[in-house]
Amino acid sequence: MDYDVIIVGSGIAGLGVGAILAKEKGFKVLVLERYGTAGGRLMSFANYPQPGWTVDTGLHLIELGDKGEAQILNERVGKKPAWGPLSETVQMYRNGVWTSVADLIQISKDEQKTFRELMANIAEMTDEEIAQWDGRSFLEWMEAHTPPGSLRELMATFAMIMTTIPLPVDMAAGEVLYITRSNLTKRRQFLSACYPIGGMKALTQGLREVIEECGGEVRVSTPVEEVLVENGRAVGVKAAGGPSPYPKDYRLGETVLIKSKIVVCALPIYQLANILDFSVVPGWWGSRITAIMNEVTGLVGYMIGLEEPITDKICFYSLLETPVAKRPFQAFPASNFDPGVAPAGKQIFHTDLVCEYEEAACAFRRRRLLDLLTEDLKVLFPEMEKRLAWRLPYYVAGCDGLARKPGLVGRFKPELKAPGLSNLYFAGDTYQGRGLATNSAARSALDCADRIIREWS
């Protein structure tokens, strides 16, 4: 075989699996990436759109910072990303002003006592106890454990930020409880997050370095067209073989066959059918993937550069429904966490609307949402437009992995290994792995690599 393992996709999950296998087992690793830059949803671009600025792909704050799985994954292979400060507050918009959640939702002394007791109980929950809530809503959990009123409103607000889902009836209680327990035991807070110094690439570039230092390769601009399966085994992949003079609609380029002992698909399940023929796997498994593959959310937003800061807060902004677009909104001033991502005296703001996958995937619908977001920003941050240096639109059709809904988290997520195939594995936030977004993908990488090591030692 040409390689010990081929990994399709160079997000934190793919690079993480590759780095562990290369460093700990000496595997010859090849990572194939369709885009011209590695990193997946954690790509960063320095000196763009003007010198001195650094922009990321999509809006991110990383849960738990140096206490999260993204850090654990990097440290396992000898890398240690640096972090900015933890977010000090969550700002919510109500009655025309931004107000911290603590000031906005006042809970009584009795509710404070109940809240402390609840947090103590959640911190002591076992994995098995949390898993019992994976198929039930957070609304059910609150009705069983909290009285109606301000306390329930406070918990629903934080759960909305965790899940990017507006209504508690649609949130998986198990995932909210897991994320809360992690924050309580590691940070002694209900929810904490921060930003890596240097932008999101700081979480992936070290993993790539490890692969290459160990003799492996990360090959960009190389889309995979098919995972080849023969006699119950993945034997390698067909990848794009080179340029073609034809326009995209006429192009059917040559492919090259690259063989390996193991194949890891580290791309989201909503892209899996593009490279894997589901007829080679059991029908029930293919039907399950097809049924849930679009149960994801989308983002449409702007990265915004400002000539002068409009806030000095180290915080996260969140709103359940914007005045104009009527969509959930999130934002944070990245340069307040890491001043190095903007020139001195200037500010970079990440903003977005949360929408359905179908809205983000449709060019017409996402353009309309961008227009609505423009009007929303005039209301939410009226001083922003007059300080504007540049504005860069972006979208993500599929963020945070599978939507954190009942029956789509924990044990209900697809397994890390294909049924009936001895050497085809999966990694990423749409496969088994707990936690928020990046940490979920990192957890999946750790578990996938360990499983491969156990089965191939």
Side-chain angles (χ1 to χ4, degrees), residues 88-106:
E88 296 171 354
T89 180
V90 174
Q91 295 282 309
M92 303 292 292
Y93 189 81
R94 190 169 295 180
N95 299 323
V97 294
W98 289 101
T99 308
S100 73
V101 171
D103 293 334
L104 186 65
I105 304 175
Q106 298 288 339

Side-chain angles (χ1 to χ4, degrees), residues 138-199:
F138 190 56
L139 177 62
E140 290 180 73
W141 185 89
M142 288 195 299
E143 289 176 341
H145 294 89
T146 65
S150 298
L151 175 57
R152 190 176 292 183
E153 181 185 1
L154 177 67
M155 298 192 70
T157 299
F158 276 106
M160 181 271 292
I161 296 169
M162 293 177 187
T163 61
T164 329
I165 295 173
L167 301 176
V169 70
D170 295 322
M171 304 170 188
E175 198 73 352
V176 175
L177 293 169
Y178 177 87
I179 295 168
T180 302
R181 186 188 68 177
S182 296
N183 280 270
L184 290 171
T185 55
K186 295 180 180 181
R187 288 290 187 190
R188 295 182 176 273
Q189 296 181 31
F190 193 88
L191 181 63
S192 61
C194 59
Y195 186 78
I197 300 298

Side-chain angles (χ1 to χ4, degrees), residues 228-243:
L228 295 175
V229 176
E230 296 177 1
N231 301 319
R233 292 177 55 84
V235 297
V237 302
K238 280 186 179 179

Side-chain angles (χ1 to χ4, degrees), residues 240-260:
S244 169
Y246 293 124
K248 180 179 178 181
D249 291 342
Y250 293 85
R251 188 183 309 156
L252 188 60
E254 293 291 333
T255 59
V256 293
L257 170 61
I258 310 173
K259 294 184 179 181
S260 67

